[in-house]
Amino acid sequence: MKHRCWTVFSCAAAISLGAANASDEPVSASSSPDEESFYEEIERGFYSRINVLAFGITQQPANPSALNPDNVLGISRYQAVLNPRIDLNLDFRRLELSVKERFLYVWERWEDGLPSGREDSTAQFYLNEGFARYRLLDDLFVSFGRENLQWGPSVLLSSSNPFNPQNGRNNPRVEVPGLDYARAVWVPDSNWSVSFVANTSPGRLFSANVFGLDQTSFIGPATNVEGRRFEQSYALKADFTGDGKYFSLIPTYRNQNGYQVGFFGGWNVSDALLLYSEGSAGEQRDLEVQVGTSYTFEEGETINLEYYHNENGCLLDNIRDCFTTRQITYRDVYYRQDYMMGQFTDNKIIGDLNLNLRWIHDINDQSNQIIGIFEYEANSNTLLYVIANGYTGGSKSEFGSLLNYSLFVGAGYTF
């Protein structure tokens, strides 16, 4: 009975915390420790994976550009990247230890503007995630360490997440940086869970090279990105999961910006149709809200529609003025107030080829980002992928002011 309770608890905790890459987590066997030796118990609870990614990027900076005249931001034309990823995990009795160590080598060449003709390369080891988790009771555990906490049903971003709204869905081959947390999770029954989360330090938030995962990463400290200073924050997250519906409420306190309340919820109207919403509002941040729907056809294709409204967004005509007047913060994944998103997904569209097409429309300045994600499972160990981005809009618009296009081509091999 004790093991059954722990299994239910573990599943509910994983759902409530939304840890990224849940499918990559190890699955523990259910045999009793009394029936095996100490070594066998360690061996049974140990999991390892080595994944080597290699990819190349070619991208063309927009010219003319209000944000990047003569390429003063130094956006390179070509990049070649090697990124081995090592995942180690030990689930031993009441203790779980996890390490996600990374190595990154990046070569770059510039062809545009002031840095034209320059080449450079960097290499680094870093810990993207690593934590220790201890089960105090069957329905209560505590943990401390670096994690990528993700939750919410939305595609564009997770506006309810007070720690990092970037969800990484525009490029699933690039990892979202981990932040440092202390957490306690209580799961009283199969419908409810309550989490206390303290974000103690930024972890990799400001140091990660995210390869254009969000636009602010191109701009960085070269311009006036307001609030690029970490604040400790504390959240209480209550989750309810019922028959065909779920809801979460996330009150948060930040040291400098005071209180904020986030929420997300979804309703499975039928087996094919899902309605969802997500958002937040607080003392220093006005309302952000997302509403969306998805419909899955009998053959497996799925379409999504989503609307995002951010009252903190900038409505000045020239996107550069949004920075000079410090209306953009490091938390802003998108800069304007209103967006529409449409998406088409078909896994196994031809053989083992997976397809995701996404269109993001800035309603305020009429610029667009169009994303195509193509992934091909060559065999059980090898994944080939192409992620193409196209941008349209004037030189003073959001999506038209940094890049004309980018092409991300690579392969991953798992040992």
Side-chain angles (χ1 to χ4, degrees):
M1 181 64 184
K2 186 175 182 180
H3 286 282
R4 182 180 177 188
C5 291
W6 171 234
T7 300
V8 171
F9 166 67
S10 298
C11 293
I15 293 171
S16 77
L17 292 171
N21 300 324
S23 61
D24 296 336
E25 297 296 327
V27 177
S28 298
S30 57
S31 59
S32 168
D34 297 336
E35 300 172 353
E36 57 189 352
S37 68
F38 179 82
Y39 174 78
E40 290 173 333
E41 192 177 353
I42 292 286
E43 185 179 39
R44 177 176 57 85
F46 181 72
Y47 163 87
S48 66
R49 188 184 73 156
I50 299 175
N51 183 224
V52 179
L53 277 77
F55 53 87
I57 300 172
T58 178
Q59 56 194 5
Q60 184 180 60
N63 187 22
S65 166
L67 270 183
N68 188 30
D70 209 18
N71 197 19
V72 295
L73 298 179
I75 299 177
S76 58
R77 177 70 72 92
Y78 305 107
Q79 297 182 10
V81 179
L82 182 65
N83 185 203
R85 303 172 178 177
I86 301 174
D87 296 351
L88 304 175
N89 188 278
L90 176 64
D91 194 351
F92 179 72
R93 300 180 184 176
R94 291 177 176 270
L95 179 66
E96 181 182 1
L97 302 173
S98 179
V99 172
K100 295 186 177 181
E101 181 67 27
R102 307 292 186 246
F103 173 76
L104 183 68
Y105 171 81
V106 182
W107 170 87
E108 296 180 270
R109 179 173 175 81
W110 287 261
E111 296 283 356
D112 305 275
L114 294 174
S116 179
R118 179 183 156 208
E119 291 185 11
D120 199 0
S121 62
T122 59
Q124 61 174 311
F125 288 95
Y126 62 92
L127 180 71
N128 199 53
E129 296 185 66
F131 64 83
R133 178 180 299 158
Y134 188 76
R135 177 166 52 94
L136 295 173
L137 302 170
D138 282 346
D139 57 1
L140 176 66
F141 77 75
V142 294
S143 66
F144 182 80
R146 183 169 300 173
E147 297 181 77
N148 170 24
L149 297 185
Q150 296 286 323
W151 61 63
S154 303
V155 176
L156 278 173
L157 73 162
S158 179
S159 56
S160 69
N161 191 326
F163 310 117
N164 185 11
Q166 172 62 257
N167 60 19
R169 294 190 179 186
N170 282 349
N171 189 336
R173 295 302 120 202
V174 174
E175 291 185 305
V176 177
L179 282 68
D180 296 339
Y181 300 98
R183 299 192 286 126
V185 180
W186 176 47
V187 186
D189 58 44
S190 59
N191 296 116
W192 285 95
S193 67
V194 179
S195 308
F196 170 77
V197 186
N199 182 196
T200 57
S201 79
R204 294 273 305 161
L205 183 62
F206 297 134
S207 58
N209 186 343
V210 290
F211 305 105
L213 195 61
D214 61 52
Q215 299 184 94
T216 311
S217 63
F218 282 120
I219 297 168
T223 55
N224 294 317
V225 178
E226 177 66 14
R228 202 174 177 86
R229 183 179 59 183
F230 174 73
E231 293 179 71
Q232 288 187 340
S233 52
Y234 311 90
L236 189 67
K237 184 167 179 282
D239 304 287
F240 170 78
T241 303
D243 184 17
K245 52 186 174 297
Y246 57 90
F247 181 82
S248 293
L249 193 66
I250 311 147
T252 304
Y253 176 76
R254 306 177 72 88
N255 282 349
Q256 301 296 324
N257 287 319
Y259 292 97
Q260 170 182 309
V261 177
F263 73 93
F264 67 84
W267 176 35
N268 291 312
V269 180
S270 67
D271 290 342
L273 181 63
L274 168 67
L275 302 177
Y276 61 85
S277 183
E278 183 167 2
S280 63
E283 287 184 83
Q284 302 295 324
R285 296 280 294 181
D286 291 329
L287 177 67
E288 290 181 61
V289 63
Q290 295 167 265
V291 292
T293 182
S294 69
Y295 187 88
T296 302
F297 297 91
E298 289 188 3
E299 298 299 321
E301 307 94 337
T302 300
I303 56 172
N304 291 71
L305 291 174
E306 190 172 306
Y307 170 70
Y308 171 46
H309 174 70
N310 177 15
E311 291 187 355
N312 308 284
C314 178
L315 291 178
L316 297 174
D317 289 339
N318 190 332
I319 191 68
R320 182 180 179 83
D321 294 338
C322 299
F323 287 88
T324 57
T325 56
R326 295 180 176 271
Q327 296 188 42
I328 305 295
T329 76
Y330 75 88
R331 285 179 45 81
D332 290 316
V333 180
Y334 300 98
Y335 305 152
R336 301 295 195 182
Q337 284 197 354
D338 299 286
Y339 298 85
M340 283 297 299
M341 190 281 303
Q343 176 178 268
F344 173 81
T345 305
D346 191 354
N347 293 328
K348 313 294 183 185
I349 185 170
I350 302 175
D352 292 321
L353 178 65
N354 304 322
L355 171 66
N356 182 290
L357 299 175
R358 187 172 304 158
W359 163 66
I360 302 171
H361 177 59
D362 183 326
I363 296 173
N364 301 125
D365 66 19
Q366 300 298 306
S367 59
N368 299 277
Q369 181 179 6
I370 301 165
I371 306 168
I373 302 173
F374 308 84
E375 296 186 335
Y376 178 70
E377 300 169 15
N379 55 49
S380 58
N381 298 93
T382 307
L383 180 69
L384 309 177
Y385 47 85
V386 175
I387 300 171
N389 285 268
Y391 303 86
T392 69
S395 62
K396 299 178 182 178
S397 67
E398 178 177 8
F399 293 125
S401 58
L402 281 176
L403 293 175
N404 291 329
Y405 69 85
S406 71
L407 189 63
F408 182 104
V409 181
Y413 187 87
T414 302
F415 294 90

